[in-house]
Structures are given as structure tokens and as C-alpha cells.
Amino acid sequence: MSADQMSVGEMLAATVPMAGTLGLEFLETTAERAVVRLPDRPAYHNHVGGPHAGAMFTLGESASGAIVLAAFGNQLDRAVPLAVKAEIGYKKLAMGTVTATAALGRPVAEVVAELDAGERPEFPVTVSLTREDGAVTGEMTVLWTLRPHS
């Protein structure tokens, strides 16, 4: 992991207290992919012994935020990234450590071109939530925007 990648995770942990509270581990943060892990801790468990749905949502949303910062961090002087809406589907019981892998749904250049044109671009980030055995336990899509500063 490079210093730039570490800084995205450190920035999220510092600016989004819930990410720090859950002890999220930012394993990879590039403009192409973000990988974030939720450690298995009893305090995060639900009534069936797996991670609580809220912890899994936060994991997925944090992975989506990491890729957004990696892809558009150089635009922060003129726009703020905001999540517009999110949808999550829980597919299988998650037990143990869960990893979220996020992918940007539109090319960075296309989104920046809309921002350059004075628009407020929107773009999806898809997230796959997996157990340690590789089974997909959930899928999430977060729609983001870059809101230009006034």
C-alpha cells in the first residue's frame, strides 16, 4: 500500500467517525478499486452472530467513499462529494470478517467533464460484500454527486 492509499483511509477514519469506530481497514484505495475490511468483533454482531446490517452498510458506504476520494480527491477545491442515495441487498449470512470491494460506475474523465461544464455530475459506485471464503453476502450501489462549491 502506498502512502497515497494510506492517506485516503486515514482521511476517512479521521473525518468519518463511524469508520474509525468500526475499526475499518482500508486495504486498497485507487481510482479503479477500493477494498475495505470490517474486522470480526462481538460488539458488531447481530442476533445470529454475524455482523450487524448497519455495520455492513457502513462498510460498503465507506468503500464507496474511499474510491470516490481516490478518483476525485483532486477536485475537492471546487466540489464536495456527497452520497445521494444507497441501496443494499443482503444475499447470504455474513459471518466473521467481511470485505467490501467498490468499483466506480463511470469513467473519471466523463464525470470531471460534466463538472467542468458547470453541471453537478452523478455517478454510481457498486460494492460487493464478501466473507473470508469468498461468498458474496451482499451487494450495494451508492449514487454519488460532486456538488460544486458556491
Side-chain angles (χ1 to χ4, degrees):
M1 185 180 302
S2 75
D4 289 343
Q5 291 169 333
M6 287 174 48
S7 67
V8 170
E10 290 169 355
M11 183 184 345
L12 280 170
T15 61
V16 181
M18 183 57 88
T21 297
L22 289 178
L24 298 181
E25 301 165 1
F26 294 84
L27 306 177
E28 179 182 341
T29 52
T30 68
E32 291 77 38
R33 187 170 106 130
V35 181
V36 182
R37 183 169 48 213
L38 173 68
D40 183 25
R41 295 188 182 154
Y44 306 157
H45 289 180
N46 60 19
H47 61 290
V48 294
H52 188 277
M56 288 182 54
F57 183 94
T58 301
L59 169 65
E61 197 274 342
S62 296
S64 77
I67 199 169
V68 168
L69 281 177
F72 302 107
N74 61 347
Q75 303 299 319
L76 295 179
D77 62 331
R78 65 186 189 137
V80 62
L82 298 170
V84 175
K85 68 179 178 176
E87 183 175 313
I88 191 167
Y90 301 100
K91 308 292 183 188
K92 290 185 178 185
L93 183 60
M95 299 297 280
T97 300
V98 179
T99 300
T101 303
L104 202 57
R106 289 182 59 200
V108 171
E110 186 179 288
V111 174
V112 172
E114 287 181 17
L115 188 62
D116 290 342
E119 299 174 27
R120 182 176 169 166
E122 290 188 350
F123 51 94
V125 174
T126 58
V127 182
S128 177
L129 302 165
T130 56
R131 299 187 302 222
E132 288 182 293
D133 66 3
V136 175
T137 64
E139 295 173 338
M140 183 177 198
T141 301
V142 182
L143 184 65
W144 286 84
T145 189
L146 294 178
R147 186 188 76 196
H149 298 306
S150 337

